[in-house]
Amino acid sequence: MQKKPINKIVLVIILALFVPILTYTVYQFAESDENEQLIKSIYDRQLESILFSVNQYCWDIFSNWQSEMTGFAVSDAENFIQLHFEPKIANIVQDQQVVAGAFLRISEEYFVIAFEDSARQTIPRRRTLIQQVNNITAESSEKLNLLIQRAKEDYIKPLAAHWNYAGSDYTLLIFPILNPSFEPQGAIFGGLLIDNLQFIQEIVARRFSAMTEGEFIFAVQKKSERGFIYYSTEEKPSEPFEVRTDLWILPDLELKVKMAGTTLERMSRARSRKNLLLLAIVNIVFITGLVYVVYNVTKEMEIAKIKSNLVANLSHEIRTPVALIRMYAETLEMGRIMDESKKNKYYKTILAETVRLSQLINNMLDFSKIESRKKEYRLSPGDLSSLTLQVLDMYQHNFEQKNFSVTVEIEPRLAEVNMDSEAVTQALVNLLDNAMKYSADDKYIGVALKEQAEHVVLSVADHGIGIPGDEFKKIFQKFYRVGDSLVHNTKGSGLGLSLVEHIMNVHNGRVELISSVGHGSTFSLIFPKIQGV
Ligand code: ADP
């Protein structure tokens, strides 16, 4: 029955808060994944368009060279005199390490060639170049015929052939130049000898860095080999690259691009991790809150239950002595009792019950004062032995009535202690009351008052039901009662010992307990002696 309302609260919290938060979390994940995808595709497209534009730029440069060569070859078609042409071709190769050589192949034997003006050993000699070009034209005659056909449709495309000469990589770009007067096909071939590495450095890399302003890393790789022949960073970049493409003009090479510093994937992974962490924190905070709420609600409910039990218990505890007092007082008032000893017995019962009642009321008042922090104590030096004797005297009738045998052992000349007599009386009364309540057949109470080193110890022993070891601490908590059937058969509020402990704290002392189940308990109140006495 008790569990039901709390279950309801938890269910409401879960439905009202946890489910939305969880849904939001899942949604966030799905969403962030989608966003990552979108960002990635945008980036990829951006990278692709950069590469496309670089490729386009290279193609335009080639087209310029090609149309320049075509232009003068056609305009001077009737005059293929080496001397006349060579300077013009040399114009193209001049000052450019990119173009190591340019030539017109009029026939197998007849070449007009200009080489770059440098002493580089790696530039092929005239004979070698002619031989290489002739080999290629022979090998790829079909392809070249096709290019001639295309050129007639106004689409000029070069034949690109990779050539490693003396350790340097070149690309031979051979393209048709049309003129009906060219025998026998109406076409000759123009060609450019491109130094691959120079082309990358001078043209591709410059264009790339102008476009991207260092945001991206770019590298060039030979398709046939794994290593890079060029990269835009100081240190060799590590794979993976996000986008790659062939270089149109130098098809043996591949361009690769990625973001500088990090890859997109790593970036999105880091972001996902951050999101995950944030969501985890939110969820942890929420669960902690939930646990806290449940804990508090449970505690509040327990207190409410204890309070209602307390009211029931107390009213029961009050009713019995009040009924007794009333009964005896009425009988006495009627004046029918003549026997003095009987009268005396009635008076004693009334007194004993009043003592019990006032003790109960004191406990409750003190408890509520302590709770509202209004309880005040006045400590003054005093003698514990006279206080103890007084209390025992007050309880005498109670003991007799319940057939308790009481032994009292008080050391003579005890040191004084600082005490609030009223409070100490209350503590002792509580202990005596418990000793009586929690004793079964062996009705014994032993009260002792002794000095021990720096302390004066007031102990109350019984041969009662005893207390299990694991309950020693708990019984001093307010409202706590041992969950034993024997205990539950006796009336009580669970306040007595918590007051005793509180009182001892105020006296700078403590309570000690020795007990074994079935054999009895000894509660000792340990007071510090007044120093110097
Ligand atoms: P109450 O006696 O009103 O229940 P107390 O705070 O005085 O409340 O005691 C708390 C609990 O400690 C008791 O309910 C009982 O279980 C246990 N207890 C206290 N004194 C004794 C004792 N002398 N012998 C056995 N159990 C005891």
Side-chain angles (χ1 to χ4, degrees):
M1 280 302 280
Q2 279 303 322
K3 281 266 171 258
K4 265 193 173 167
I6 189 80
N7 285 350
K8 223 170 173 180
I9 292 169
V10 173
L11 197 73
V12 166
I13 294 175
I14 287 177
L15 284 179
L17 289 170
F18 197 53
V19 170
I21 287 184
L22 203 72
T23 319
Y24 180 71
T25 308
V26 173
Y27 170 76
Q28 269 296 311
F29 269 102
E31 177 86 332
S32 77
D33 210 44
E34 241 169 62
N35 287 345
E36 300 312 347
Q37 299 281 333
L38 188 71
I39 292 169
K40 182 152 173 52
S41 81
I42 290 171
Y43 262 98
D44 281 355
R45 252 179 278 152
Q46 196 187 346
L47 293 181
E48 271 162 19
S49 73
I50 289 172
L51 288 182
F52 183 86
S53 121
V54 169
N55 248 331
Q56 188 72 53
Y57 177 72
C58 297
W59 185 268
D60 288 347
I61 285 179
F62 159 75
S63 293
N64 282 343
W65 292 333
Q66 174 263 330
S67 58
E68 203 177 325
M69 283 177 70
T70 305
F72 63 70
V74 170
S75 66
D76 235 346
E78 265 118 64
N79 260 326
F80 280 126
I81 306 162
Q82 194 144 341
L83 283 177
H84 184 51
F85 273 119
E86 228 173 34
K88 289 189 176 178
I89 296 177
N91 268 347
I92 294 173
V93 291
Q94 210 175 33
D95 300 333
Q96 295 205 47
Q97 292 204 328
V98 175
V99 184
F103 60 87
L104 291 175
R105 180 188 180 273
I106 291 112
S107 73
E108 216 172 298
E109 295 85 30
Y110 189 14
F111 276 70
V112 181
I113 304 181
F115 281 108
E116 177 202 311
D117 193 10
S118 95
R120 279 205 286 166
Q121 286 301 309
T122 50
I123 296 182
R125 302 290 101 210
R126 182 183 166 82
R127 271 283 100 217
T128 338
L129 179 68
I130 291 173
Q131 215 168 13
Q132 183 72 7
V133 173
N134 281 339
N135 284 347
I136 293 168
T137 20
E139 271 169 27
S140 313
S141 62
E142 260 179 48
K143 273 191 196 162
L144 287 170
N145 282 338
L146 206 70
L147 290 183
I148 293 172
Q149 289 308 314
R150 290 270 177 86
K152 283 179 181 162
E153 293 154 18
D154 258 357
Y155 177 66
I156 307 288
K157 193 180 176 235
L159 174 81
H162 174 241
W163 184 22
N164 185 288
Y165 178 80
S168 283
D169 280 309
Y170 293 97
T171 303
L172 265 169
L173 296 173
I174 302 170
F175 52 89
I177 299 174
L178 302 185
N179 193 313
S181 64
F182 294 151
E183 295 296 335
Q185 290 171 292
I188 58 166
F189 291 109
L192 294 160
L193 181 66
I194 305 290
D195 182 322
N196 284 1
L197 192 59
Q198 293 292 338
F199 189 89
I200 296 294
Q201 283 170 348
E202 302 294 321
I203 295 173
V204 181
R206 279 194 192 162
R207 178 69 184 169
F208 186 83
S209 69
M211 283 183 76
T212 61
E213 290 170 352
E215 270 179 58
F216 297 96
I217 291 172
F218 133 87
V220 180
Q221 196 173 28
K222 265 202 252 182
K223 272 192 197 166
S224 46
E225 290 169 24
R226 271 208 55 74
F228 299 121
I229 62 162
Y230 176 86
Y231 36 87
S232 62
T233 45
E234 274 179 23
E235 272 177 38
K236 189 177 165 189
S238 59
E239 302 276 355
F241 282 80
E242 265 122 27
V243 177
R244 58 196 65 212
T245 185
D246 289 355
L247 198 55
W248 298 341
I249 222 62
L250 310 176
D252 188 46
L253 300 181
E254 195 177 37
L255 298 187
K256 294 178 158 190
V257 190
K258 68 172 179 178
M259 284 180 60
T262 174
T263 64
L264 197 66
E265 214 170 290
R266 232 179 280 157
M267 210 165 78
S268 73
R269 226 181 298 144
R271 239 188 27 193
S272 302
R273 230 176 288 146
K274 206 170 103 188
N275 281 350
L276 182 72
L277 194 74
L278 278 176
L279 284 170
I281 290 173
V282 168
N283 282 316
I284 287 171
V285 168
F286 174 76
I287 289 169
T288 316
L290 186 70
V291 170
Y292 182 74
V293 167
V294 170
Y295 171 76
N296 271 294
V297 170
T298 318
K299 216 167 137 188
E300 285 299 320
M301 280 167 55
E302 261 168 28
I303 289 176
K305 185 183 153 200
I306 286 169
K307 279 187 180 157
S308 76
N309 282 355
L310 179 74
V311 171
N313 262 339
L314 285 181
S315 30
H316 193 72
E317 275 207 81
I318 292 170
R319 202 185 302 143
T320 321
V322 168
L324 271 178
I325 292 168
R326 186 173 168 183
M327 189 181 80
Y328 285 120
E330 277 175 358
T331 316
L332 285 169
E333 202 252 337
M334 278 187 269
R336 289 211 214 115
I337 311 287
M338 294 304 155
D339 182 352
E340 274 309 309
S341 71
K342 212 170 187 183
K343 263 192 198 169
N344 217 20
K345 194 185 151 207
Y346 281 14
Y347 285 130
K348 279 188 172 162
T349 309
I350 290 174
L351 186 66
E353 290 304 319
T354 322
V355 168
R356 262 188 54 68
L357 251 188
S358 63
Q359 181 237 336
L360 183 71
I361 290 162
N362 282 346
N363 270 359
M364 285 178 57
L365 288 179
D366 279 357
F367 174 72
S368 78
K369 272 188 194 161
I370 291 168
E371 284 289 284
S372 58
R373 299 180 204 289
K374 282 185 193 146
K375 174 76 187 165
E376 279 176 19
Y377 295 90
R378 283 201 189 85
L379 303 190
S380 56
D383 173 21
L384 270 177
S385 48
S386 58
L387 182 143
T388 308
L389 289 170
Q390 264 174 30
V391 173
L392 286 174
D393 196 39
M394 198 164 64
Y395 257 67
Q396 190 56 38
H397 181 67
N398 249 326
F399 294 142
E400 277 169 18
Q401 223 183 15
K402 290 178 180 155
N403 290 326
F404 270 88
S405 73
V406 182
T407 61
V408 183
E409 199 185 324
I410 298 179
E411 271 182 15
R413 290 180 299 282
L414 278 172
E416 286 197 320
V417 296
N418 257 331
M419 63 179 189
D420 177 323
S421 311
E422 207 179 299
V424 177
T425 305
Q426 204 187 348
L428 179 57
V429 163
N430 273 315
L431 293 185
L432 292 171
D433 203 42
N434 279 350
M436 286 194 284
K437 279 201 297 191
Y438 304 111
S439 287
D441 299 331
D442 193 349
K443 292 174 184 288
Y444 163 83
I445 292 176
V447 179
L449 193 53
K450 291 176 185 163
E451 259 189 56
Q452 260 175 22
E454 303 299 310
H455 300 103
V456 180
V457 181
L458 170 57
S459 59
V460 177
D462 62 55
H463 291 171
I465 59 172
I467 301 161
D470 56 348
E471 303 272 6
F472 277 22
K473 277 219 169 105
K474 294 186 204 157
I475 55 171
F476 291 98
Q477 292 169 5
K478 51 195 169 201
F479 301 121
Y480 188 85
R481 307 194 74 210
V482 174
D484 192 279
S485 61
L486 271 173
V487 173
H488 279 271
N489 289 336
T490 57
K491 284 165 263 160
S493 57
L495 286 179
L497 286 181
S498 77
L499 279 174
V500 172
E501 190 174 53
H502 180 81
I503 289 166
M504 289 317 291
N505 286 343
V506 172
H507 285 78
N508 290 325
R510 58 180 199 279
V511 190
E512 263 181 20
L513 167 61
I514 300 168
S515 180
S516 83
V517 176
H519 293 102
S521 319
T522 304
F523 284 87
S524 302
L525 306 182
I526 301 179
F527 295 86
K529 276 198 242 173
I530 294 178
Q531 292 300 317
V533 178

